[in-house]
Amino acid sequence: MFIKSENNELIKKIKKLKDKKERYEEGLFFVEGTTNVLEALNSNFEIEYIVMSESFKEDIPFKKDKIVHTTDSVFKKISDTVTPQMIMAVIKIPEYDENIYIKENGIYVIADNVQDPGNLGTIIRSADAFGATAVFTINNSVDVFNPKVLRATMGSIFHIPVIPTSKEVVLKLKAKGIKVFATHLRAKKLVHQCNIDDKVAFVLGNESKGVSIEDLVDDFVKIPMTGEAESLNVSIAAAIFLYESQRQRLIKQE
Amino acid sequence: MFIKSENNELIKKIKKLKDKKERYEEGLFFVEGTTNVLEALNSNFEIEYIVMSESFKEDIPFKKDKIVHTTDSVFKKISDTVTPQMIMAVIKIPEYDENIYIKENGIYVIADNVQDPGNLGTIIRSADAFGATAVFTINNSVDVFNPKVLRATMGSIFHIPVIPTSKEVVLKLKAKGIKVFATHLRAKKLVHQCNIDDKVAFVLGNESKGVSIEDLVDDFVKIPMTGEAESLNVSIAAAIFLYESQRQRLIKQE
């Protein structure tokens, strides 16, 4: 298939996937760039189409009848970036059963009304790097299939389950004996003084309002800061929690 | 002074400060929002003007003749944000003598061709939070006075010296006995296995090309990753280095 017109029905449908409501109505999202497309191909995600423009010259191992070719100008209309890499995959939104991932052992990340796409994407990338079990998004966090979130994940969305859900997930984790942590500036314990190597969930709150589910948190800890900055970026706080948890696991093995 | 026209000379001058070349020609930059403006007022930075629009109603303690009032529509022309907070400070670019900050003790961060404004801003915010001595930017890193960098610093630019310089700064640090570290995926030592509590500099490289000054690095370390993600965001790597350094200092005091 070769598409020259941006009025083509398929092109119009893909263009709409930049919008959250349309994504969930269609049950589809897209990722851009060779790395992301190859990660998608190597994953269990179900790919609907691969779209590439005339100027994309690499070989992509995918069913020929599911590859859509377009002109560069048509591709630019569907891309979410200013200088597109001229390839994208249109993928089915996965349907995770969160109960499968809630176990008695595990490292969980809960994004509680995290609004900045770069922050959520970076949290997912770090959760993947440090071997977390799953990421849950609750309380109106930015949509995980937002193109800007996906860009910041650098393909990690294909490695770790990221599940939009509600705050009841925290109760399910607690019922399994998972201890729920959040940071607090006035907490007394520092993060490295707590046992967080396993069976832990870390709640990351909104960039300005913080955590909304304080009543469900088992323990508040502080990331030690000595400078004049009053707080850390939320994706930084997530990474430090996950790194410290990883460090404690490694030390146990030494 | 009340300005109603976007053709006013001062407004045209401020508008140009979004451009790096113009900033250095004028020797000026601007920050937006009440928090940043108050941080600027409490700092040693020299403020040229405070600009506020009609709809800004708070009191700002500053010389009346240096406060510029504008209409909302004029303010929107000079703002770098989509929904401006209607206040900004126009500030002289500080002239730091880097030699004053290069000592035999200290924690230094070197941003080596870091391109993403959010990444550099977040690195500066973390450097401030974890008590680093100074941040140096080298090799064509994004300009520290770029409005997007400043937004991500959350005011930390007023707490910690951030000095654009050249790679010779690394030699000056080494001459003082500061050990220069960078991360490497194939490094054998993990970051928590190295003594990094003091007298260290951390080089953070370009988002895709990595570190350009590998020949000047004393020791490569690895941030332990167990998941499938191949790397961490550069601002995350910086924060983990700085956190680990801070953790080691705290443990020594325990």
Side-chain angles (χ1 to χ4, degrees), chain A residues 83-119:
Chain A
T83 48
Q85 285 190 49
M86 299 304 185
I87 181 153
M88 69 162 60
V90 179
I91 304 169
K92 280 203 179 148
I93 289 179
E95 290 187 19
Y96 290 111
D97 174 1
E98 69 183 28
N99 298 306
I100 292 171
Y101 298 96
I102 298 174
K103 298 174 201 161
E104 277 155 27
N105 292 291
I107 312 290
Y108 301 91
V109 175
I110 298 159
D112 170 9
N113 195 15
V114 170
Q115 285 302 308
D116 181 82
N119 283 345

Side-chain angles (χ1 to χ4, degrees), chain B residues 17-240:
Chain B
L17 298 179
K18 293 179 196 176
D19 180 72
K20 178 179 172 179
K21 197 167 148 269
E22 299 280 349
R23 281 196 292 276
Y24 284 90
E25 269 178 30
E26 296 285 345
L28 294 173
F29 71 101
F30 66 81
V31 293
E32 295 189 62
T34 313
T35 316
N36 274 323
V37 170
L38 291 178
E39 291 266 16
L41 284 166
N42 286 325
S43 74
N44 292 325
F45 283 60
E46 221 174 300
I47 299 177
E48 282 275 289
Y49 300 101
I50 286 182
V51 187
M52 55 177 80
S53 87
E54 288 173 294
S55 61
F56 185 84
K57 298 293 180 201
E58 290 166 66
D59 240 6
I60 293 290
F62 196 61
K63 291 162 265 181
K64 287 256 174 326
D65 61 322
K66 291 281 195 173
I67 295 186
V68 177
H69 299 272
T70 71
T71 60
D72 286 3
S73 75
V74 165
F75 195 96
K76 279 178 186 158
K77 296 287 175 193
I78 53 173
S79 170
D80 188 60
T81 64
V82 182
T83 47
Q85 284 189 54
M86 299 303 184
I87 180 151
M88 66 161 60
V90 179
I91 303 169
K92 281 202 180 149
I93 289 179
E95 290 187 19
Y96 289 111
D97 173 3
E98 69 184 28
N99 299 306
I100 291 172
Y101 298 96
I102 298 174
K103 299 176 199 156
E104 279 156 28
N105 293 291
I107 313 289
Y108 300 93
V109 174
I110 297 159
D112 169 9
N113 194 16
V114 170
Q115 285 303 308
D116 181 81
N119 284 345
L120 182 60
T122 305
I123 290 170
I124 294 167
R125 184 177 176 190
S126 300
D128 175 21
F130 292 118
T133 313
V135 176
F136 299 109
T137 66
I138 67 168
N139 189 15
N140 228 2
S141 285
V142 56
D143 182 45
V144 50
F145 301 111
N146 172 310
K148 287 181 188 63
V149 174
L150 293 170
R151 246 191 327 274
T153 67
M154 295 289 283
S156 283
I157 193 78
F158 301 113
H159 308 154
I160 180 172
V162 182
I163 308 175
T165 181
S166 66
K167 68 177 184 179
E168 278 65 42
V169 76
V170 184
L171 300 173
K172 290 186 189 176
L173 288 164
K174 285 161 79 94
K176 289 277 185 188
I178 301 294
K179 198 166 169 185
V180 179
F181 284 88
T183 58
H184 201 292
L185 285 175
R186 289 189 303 280
K188 281 183 189 134
K189 271 180 286 187
L190 299 179
V191 58
H192 69 272
Q193 295 165 333
C194 297
N195 203 342
I196 56 167
D197 65 314
D198 197 6
K199 305 173 197 274
V200 286
F202 305 131
V203 186
L204 285 319
N206 175 267
E207 286 83 351
S208 53
K209 292 176 230 155
V211 169
S212 77
I213 52 163
E214 290 208 342
D215 51 321
L216 297 177
V217 171
D218 293 310
D219 213 348
F220 287 96
V221 294
K222 195 176 159 176
I223 295 173
M225 291 184 274
T226 47
E228 286 178 68
E230 282 174 15
S231 64
L232 292 164
N233 171 287
V234 63
S235 74
I236 298 293
I240 287 170

Side-chain angles (χ1 to χ4, degrees), chain A residues 39 122 125-126 128-132 154 156 158-160 190-193 207 223-236 239-240 243-244 246-247 249-251 254, chain B residues 39 122 125-126 128-132 154 156 158-160 190-193 207 223-236 239-240 243-244 246-247 249-251 254:
Chain A
E39 292 265 16
T122 305
R125 185 176 175 192
S126 300
D128 176 23
F130 291 118
M154 296 289 281
S156 283
F158 301 114
H159 308 154
I160 180 172
L190 299 179
V191 56
H192 70 271
Q193 294 165 334
E207 287 84 351
I223 295 173
M225 292 185 273
T226 47
E228 285 178 71
E230 281 175 14
S231 64
L232 292 164
N233 171 287
V234 63
S235 74
I236 298 291
I240 287 170
Y243 162 78
E244 179 59 31
Q246 167 86 308
R247 192 189 63 81
R249 288 194 292 283
L250 289 168
I251 279 179
E254 271 170 15
Chain B
E39 291 266 16
T122 305
R125 184 177 176 190
S126 300
D128 175 21
F130 292 118
M154 295 289 283
S156 283
F158 301 113
H159 308 154
I160 180 172
L190 299 179
V191 58
H192 69 272
Q193 295 165 333
E207 286 83 351
I223 295 173
M225 291 184 274
T226 47
E228 286 178 68
E230 282 174 15
S231 64
L232 292 164
N233 171 287
V234 63
S235 74
I236 298 293
I240 287 170
Y243 162 78
E244 179 58 31
Q246 167 86 311
R247 192 189 63 81
R249 288 194 293 284
L250 288 169
I251 280 179
E254 271 169 15

Side-chain angles (χ1 to χ4, degrees), chain A residues 63-245:
Chain A
K63 292 161 262 177
K64 287 254 173 331
D65 62 322
K66 291 282 196 172
I67 296 186
V68 177
H69 299 271
T70 70
T71 60
D72 285 3
S73 74
V74 165
F75 195 95
K76 279 176 187 160
K77 296 287 175 193
I78 54 173
S79 170
D80 188 62
T81 64
V82 183
T83 48
Q85 285 190 49
M86 299 304 185
I87 181 153
M88 69 162 60
V90 179
I91 304 169
K92 280 203 179 148
I93 289 179
E95 290 187 19
Y96 290 111
D97 174 1
E98 69 183 28
N99 298 306
I100 292 171
Y101 298 96
I102 298 174
K103 298 174 201 161
E104 277 155 27
N105 292 291
I107 312 290
Y108 301 91
V109 175
I110 298 159
D112 170 9
N113 195 15
V114 170
Q115 285 302 308
D116 181 82
N119 283 345
L120 182 61
T122 305
I123 289 170
I124 294 166
R125 185 176 175 192
S126 300
D128 176 23
F130 291 118
T133 314
V135 176
F136 299 108
T137 65
I138 66 168
N139 191 13
N140 228 0
S141 286
V142 55
D143 182 45
V144 51
F145 301 111
N146 173 310
K148 289 180 187 66
V149 174
L150 294 169
R151 246 189 331 272
T153 67
M154 296 289 281
S156 283
I157 193 79
F158 301 114
H159 308 154
I160 180 172
V162 182
I163 308 175
T165 182
S166 66
K167 69 176 183 180
E168 278 65 42
V169 76
V170 183
L171 300 174
K172 291 186 188 176
L173 288 165
K174 286 161 81 94
K176 290 279 185 187
I178 302 294
K179 199 166 168 186
V180 179
F181 284 89
T183 57
H184 201 290
L185 286 174
R186 288 189 304 279
K188 282 185 187 131
K189 272 180 283 186
L190 299 179
V191 56
H192 70 271
Q193 294 165 334
C194 297
N195 202 343
I196 56 167
D197 66 314
D198 197 6
K199 306 174 199 272
V200 286
F202 304 130
V203 187
L204 285 319
N206 175 267
E207 287 84 351
S208 53
K209 291 177 231 158
V211 170
S212 78
I213 51 163
E214 290 207 340
D215 50 321
L216 298 177
V217 172
D218 293 310
D219 214 347
F220 288 95
V221 294
K222 195 177 159 175
I223 295 173
M225 292 185 273
T226 47
E228 285 178 71
E230 281 175 14
S231 64
L232 292 164
N233 171 287
V234 63
S235 74
I236 298 291
I240 287 170
F241 244 119
L242 290 162
Y243 162 78
E244 179 59 31
S245 173

